[in-house]
C-alpha cells in the first residue's frame, strides 16, 4: 500500500533567516521547499517544528497571517530542540506540521473592540501575530494598548519592530517595562502586573494576555481589582505537547485539550476547569 | 446460526488462516496474549488475555515515518508498516467495547491513519463469556458479556461453536467458510453474572455533577497515597490511549516512532518551566477523571472503562477504578 498521509507526518521546510532578539531568543523565518509560505494560519495558532533525531516541539507562529511570504517563530533556548535551533544557520532544513489550535477570535469577538495586549518575555510571540494583524486591518478595531515587560532591556523580544513601527503608529500606545533599573533605560521599571494596575486602563477594553503563569495570575488579579470581568480577558496556555491533535492525552486541562480546544481560552471558561496549568 | 465442532477448532483456525492472518488468545510467555496463529497453537483456557486486544490496533511501539539527513537537507521517507487483512478471534465483550472507545479518540477528526488502517483491515470475532471472574464488572457499564458485538459473535456451548455475523465484513468471512454447519443456539444462562460481586456499580453518577465537584473531592488524597506511579494499570487497560513520540537515530536512517505512555509517570507533563501535575495525587486523579468524567464529557457520555477487571488484578497496591468510583460516589475513601 502507498504512504497514507497522516497528520503526524511532517513536511520539510527551510530556515531562510535567523535574527537574534535577546541573549536567549532568536526569531526564525521559515518557508516551504518551494520558497513559499508553507501554511495559512490564524493569529495564536502554533506549529510543530522538528529536527529528526533531536525532537519535535510546538511554537506559536509569531508572524501575522497578513505576511504572505513566510512564517516566523520566536524561540527561547531552553532544552533539546531549542538548543539545536539556536545553533543552526540559514539554509538549514527543518520539518514542520500544523497549524494547530483555535487561535484568537480576531475576526469575531475582537472586531470593533479597544484592545489591551499584555505580554511578558517570550509571551510576546503569539501576541505579535495578533498585534500585526490588527495593525494591518486597523479600521476594524478600536484603540490598541500594548504593555510589554521583560527582565531587562536586552530581554525584550522584537525590540526594533516595537520602536520603529508600533511606537510610531497612530492609535497604538506601547508601554514597556523592565524588572530592574539599568543605565541605558529611561522607561518604566517594575513587574508587569503592577504596571498594569498603575496604568489603570478603561475597563471597557478587551484584554489579550500571554506570559509565564505567575504573570498571568497576578495580572488577572490586578485587572479584576480595576473592574475587568474574566469574560473580557483572553490568554494562551502552554502545556507539554506531543501530538497537537488531541490524541496523545498529554495537554488537557480538565476535559479540554489545549492543543485542540486551545491554546487560546477566555478566562471565564477556565472557572469550570481545574487549575492544572 | 452457523456452527462448528469445538473439538475441531484447529481446523476452523486453519481455514481462516488460509486466507488471512489470524490472532487468537493463547498461552504465551508468562501470560495469555493475542498470538499469531500457526498450526498447533491452541486457545488459552484463561478467561482473558493479560494485555488487552488494543495491541492489535494500537501497538505498544509503532514506526511512524523515517528521515534521512545529509548536511542541512532532510528527506521524509515512508516508515509505516504495511497492514494486511487480519482476523482476531476470541475477543471478549469488554475488549470489543474498548474498540468503540479508542475509535472515539483515534477516528475523530483529524483521523489517526495508523489506527484507522488497522481497524479497516481487521475482522473482529468475539466470544461470549460463560464463566466470568470476580473482578469482572462489564455489566455495570451496559455491556452484555453473553451477546458480544464485533463483526462475528461466537458462543462456545457444550460441544459446539455458534457463529453469527453482525456486519458485512463478518458476513464475508463466514461465507468464505463453506464448511460451517447450521444449528440453533441453546438459551444462554445469565444467572452467574447476576451473582458477580461488582455487578451493581453505578457509573451514571459521574455525568450528574459538574466536573469540578469530582475534581475537588476529598477522596483523592487518601486514594492516591500509596500509588507507586508504576503505570501497570495504564498498560494493561484496553482503553488507555496516551502515547509519546520519539526519534531513534539509527545512523543512516532516523526513525520517528510512537509508543505507549502513561499519565501516571512523573515526567509525562514535564516542561521547561516544570510540570502542572507535580505530585502523584494529580497524576492519579488525571487517570480516573479522564475515564469517568473527561472522556464521557467529550464523547456523548461514553465512560472510558469497559469493566475488564485487568487493573483490579494487576495493581501492586490493589488500587483500581472500582475503589475510586465507589469512593467518589460516597464522598469518602
Ligand atoms: C501552545 C504552545 C506554544 C508555545 N510557543 C512557544 C514559542 O512561541 N516560543 C518558544 O520558545 N516556546 C514555545 N513553546 C514551548 C516549546 O514548545 C518547548 O516546550 C520549549 O521550547 C522547550 O523545548 P525543548 O525541546 O528545547 O526542551 P526539552 O528538551 O523538551 O526540555 C525542556 C526543559 O525541561 C526540562 N525537563 C525535561 N524533562 C524533565 C524531567 N523529567 N525532569 C526535570 N526537567 C525536565 C529540561 O531540563 C529542559 O530544560 C510553546 C509551547 C506550547 C505548548
Ligand atoms: S480501567 Fe481497569 S477495568 Fe476499566 S477498562 Fe481499564 S483496565 Fe479494565
Ligand atoms: S497500577 Fe496501581 S500503583 Fe501502579 S500506577 Fe496504577 S494505581 Fe498506581
Ligand atoms: S498534545 Fe497530544 S493531546 Fe494535546
Amino acid at each position: 500500500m502507498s504512504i497514507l498521509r497522516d497528520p503526524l507526518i511532517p513536511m520539510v521546510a527551510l530556515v531562510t533567516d535567523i535574527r537574534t532578539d535577546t541573549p536567549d531568543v532568536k526569531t526564525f523565518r521559515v518557508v516551504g521547499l518551494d520558497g513559499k509560505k508553507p501554511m495559512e494560519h490564524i493569529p495564536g495558532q502554533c506549529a510543530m517544528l522538528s529536527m529528526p533525531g533531536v525532537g519535535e516541539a510546538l511554537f506559536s507562529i509569531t508572524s501575522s497571517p497578513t505576511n504572505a511570504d513566510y512564517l516566523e517563530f520566536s524561540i527561547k533556548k531552553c532544552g533539546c530542540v531549542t538548543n539545536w535551533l539556536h545553533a543552526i544557520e540559514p539554509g538549514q532544513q527543518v520539518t514542520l506540521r500544523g497549524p494547530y489550535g483555535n487561535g484568537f477570535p480576531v475576526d469575531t469577538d475582537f472586531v470593533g473592540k479597544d484592545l489591551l495586549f499584555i505580554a511578558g518575555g517570550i509571551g510576546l510571540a503569539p501576541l505579535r501575530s495578533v498585534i500585526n494583524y490588527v495593525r494591518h486591518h486597523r479600521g476594524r478595531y478600536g484603540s490598541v494598548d500594548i504593555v510589554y515587560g521583560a527582565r531587562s532591556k536586552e530581554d525584550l523580544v522584537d525590540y526594533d519592530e516595537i520602536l520603529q513601527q508600533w511606537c510610531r503608529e497612530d492609535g497604538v500606545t506601547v508601554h514597556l517595562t523592565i524588572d530592574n533599573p539599568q543605565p541605558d533605560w529611561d522607561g518604566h521599571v517594575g513587574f508587569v502586573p503592577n504596571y498594569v494596575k498603575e496604568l489603570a486602563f478603561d475597563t471597557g477594553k478587551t484584554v489579550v494576555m500571554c506570559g509565564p503563569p505567575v504573570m498571568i495570575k497576578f495580572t488577572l488579579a490586578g485587572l479584576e481589582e480595576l473592574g475587568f470581568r474574566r469574560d473580557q480577558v483572553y490568554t494562551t496556555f502552554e502545556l507539554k505537547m506531543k501530538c497537537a491533535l488531541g490524541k496523545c492525552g498529554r495537554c488537557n486541562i480538565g476535559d479540554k485539550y489545549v492543543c485542540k480546544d486551545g491554546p487560546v481560552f477566555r478566562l471565564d471558561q477556565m472557572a469550570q476547569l481545574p487549575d492544572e496549568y | 446460526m452457523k456452527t462448528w465442532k469445538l473439538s475441531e477448532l484447529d481446523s476452523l483456525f486453519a481455514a481462516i488462516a488460509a486466507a488471512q492472518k489470524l490472532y487468537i488468545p493463547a498461552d504465551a510467555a508468562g501470560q495469555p496474549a493475542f498470538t499469531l496463529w500457526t498450526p498447533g497453537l491452541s486457545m488459552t483456557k484463561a478467561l482473558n488475555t493479560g494485555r488487552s486486544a488494543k495491541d492489535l490496533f494500537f501497538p505498544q511501539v509503532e514506526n511512524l515515518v523515517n528521515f534521512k539527513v545529509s548536511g542541512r537537507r532532510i528527506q521524509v521517507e515512508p516508515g509505516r508498516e504495511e497492514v494486511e487483512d487480519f482476523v482476531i478471534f476470541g475477543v471478549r465483550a469488554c475488549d470489543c467495547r474498548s474498540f468503540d472507545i479508542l475509535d472515539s479518540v483515534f477516528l475523530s477528526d483529524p483521523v489517526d491513519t495508523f489506527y484507522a488502517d488497522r481497524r479497516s483491515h481487521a475482522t473482529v470475532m468475539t466470544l461470549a463469556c460463560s464463566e466470568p471472574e470476580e473482578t469482572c464488572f462489564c455489566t455495570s457499564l451496559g455491556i452484555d458479556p453473553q451477546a458480544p458485538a464485533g463483526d462475528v459473535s461466537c458462543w462456545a456451548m457444550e460441544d459446539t461453536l455458534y457463529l453469527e455475523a453482525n456486519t458485512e465484513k463478518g458476513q464475508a468471512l463466514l461465507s468464505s467458510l463453506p464448511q460451517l454447519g447450521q444449528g440453533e443456539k441453546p438459551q444462554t444462562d445469565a444467572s452467574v453474572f447476576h451473582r458477580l460481586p461488582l455487578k451493581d456499580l453505578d457509573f451514571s453518577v459521574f455525568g450528574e455533577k459538574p466536573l469540578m465537584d469530582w475534581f475537588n473531592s476529598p477522596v483523592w488524597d487518601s486514594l492516591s497515597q500509596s500509588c507507586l506511579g508504576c503505570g501497570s494499570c495504564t498498560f494493561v487497560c484496553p482503553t488507555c490511549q496516551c502515547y509519546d513520540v520519539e526519534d531513534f537515530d539509527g545512523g543512516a536512517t532516523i526513525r520517528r516512532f510512537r509508543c505507549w505512555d502513561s499519565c501516571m509517570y512523573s515526567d509525562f507533563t514535564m516542561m521547561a518551566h516544570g510540570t502542572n501535575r507535580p505530585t502523584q495525587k494529580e497524576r492519579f486523579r488525571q487517570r480516573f477523571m479522564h475515564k469517568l468524567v473527561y472522556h464521557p464529557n467529550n464523547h456523548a457520555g461514553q465512560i472510558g472503562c469497559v469493566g475488564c477487571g485487568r487493573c483490579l488484578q494487576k495493581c501492586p497496591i490493589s488500587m483500581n477504578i472500582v475503589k475510586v468510583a465507589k469512593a467518589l460516589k460516597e464522598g469518602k475513601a
Side-chain angles (χ1 to χ4, degrees), chain A residues 20-233:
Chain A
T20 302
D21 273 278
T22 79
D24 59 5
V25 177
K26 286 185 177 181
T27 298
F28 300 79
R29 198 170 276 188
V30 176
V31 299
L33 289 187
D34 57 1
K36 299 204 178 103
K37 185 159 93 165
M39 58 182 76
E40 296 299 328
H41 75 285
I42 301 166
Q45 281 190 311
C46 304
M48 276 282 188
L49 276 180
S50 107
M51 177 58 200
V54 181
E56 215 173 21
L58 193 74
F59 302 99
S60 302
I61 303 171
T62 190
S63 50
S64 163
T66 52
N67 179 328
D69 302 323
Y70 50 80
L71 298 176
E72 276 183 329
F73 299 91
S74 288
I75 295 174
K76 185 169 168 156
K77 187 176 172 174
C78 65
C80 244
V81 179
T82 53
N83 285 343
W84 181 86
L85 284 166
H86 272 249
I88 64 168
E89 285 171 8
Q92 173 71 47
Q93 294 185 351
V94 293
T95 76
L96 180 71
R97 60 185 176 94
Y100 297 121
N102 54 356
F104 289 99
V106 284
D107 295 325
T108 50
D109 301 9
F110 287 4
V111 174
K113 300 281 166 47
D114 291 338
L115 299 172
L116 167 57
F117 295 94
I118 305 173
I122 185 72
L124 188 66
L127 297 199
R128 178 177 171 239
S129 179
V130 197
I131 291 168
N132 285 334
Y133 185 85
V134 166
R135 289 177 56 233
H136 189 265
H137 299 287
R138 198 62 199 85
R140 288 195 206 159
Y141 307 91
S143 65
V144 171
D145 282 273
I146 301 164
V147 182
Y148 179 41
R151 273 170 310 191
S152 72
K153 183 181 157 193
E154 289 67 39
D155 287 298
L156 291 162
V157 179
D158 303 309
Y159 193 44
D160 287 340
E161 181 172 323
I162 295 171
L163 290 188
Q164 304 306 325
Q165 300 183 33
W166 300 0
C167 287
R168 294 181 180 179
E169 190 155 319
D170 284 345
V172 176
T173 317
V174 181
H175 316 265
L176 297 178
T177 183
I178 58 174
D179 290 356
N180 297 298
Q182 59 187 83
D184 54 347
W185 180 258
D186 57 4
H188 188 272
V189 175
F191 295 125
V192 168
N194 295 334
Y195 193 28
V196 168
K197 257 167 59 181
E198 281 170 36
L199 288 164
F201 290 101
D202 180 288
T203 55
K205 292 183 194 298
T206 295
V207 183
V208 190
M209 181 159 66
C210 192
V214 283
M215 186 207 91
I216 304 264
K217 202 170 133 211
F218 288 112
T219 308
L220 178 65
L223 286 169
E224 287 189 306
E225 258 177 65
L226 289 173
F228 283 87
R229 296 182 320 270
R230 283 179 180 236
D231 63 10
Q232 291 171 271
V233 184

Side-chain angles (χ1 to χ4, degrees), chain A residues 1 6 50 53 93 247 250 255, chain B residues 74 82 105 110 113 243 297:
Chain A
M1 198 184 34
D6 187 274
S50 107
Q93 294 185 351
K247 300 191 197 290
R250 205 167 300 258
D255 56 11
Chain B
I74 300 171
E82 301 257 327
V105 175
T113 61
Y243 65 80
N297 280 5

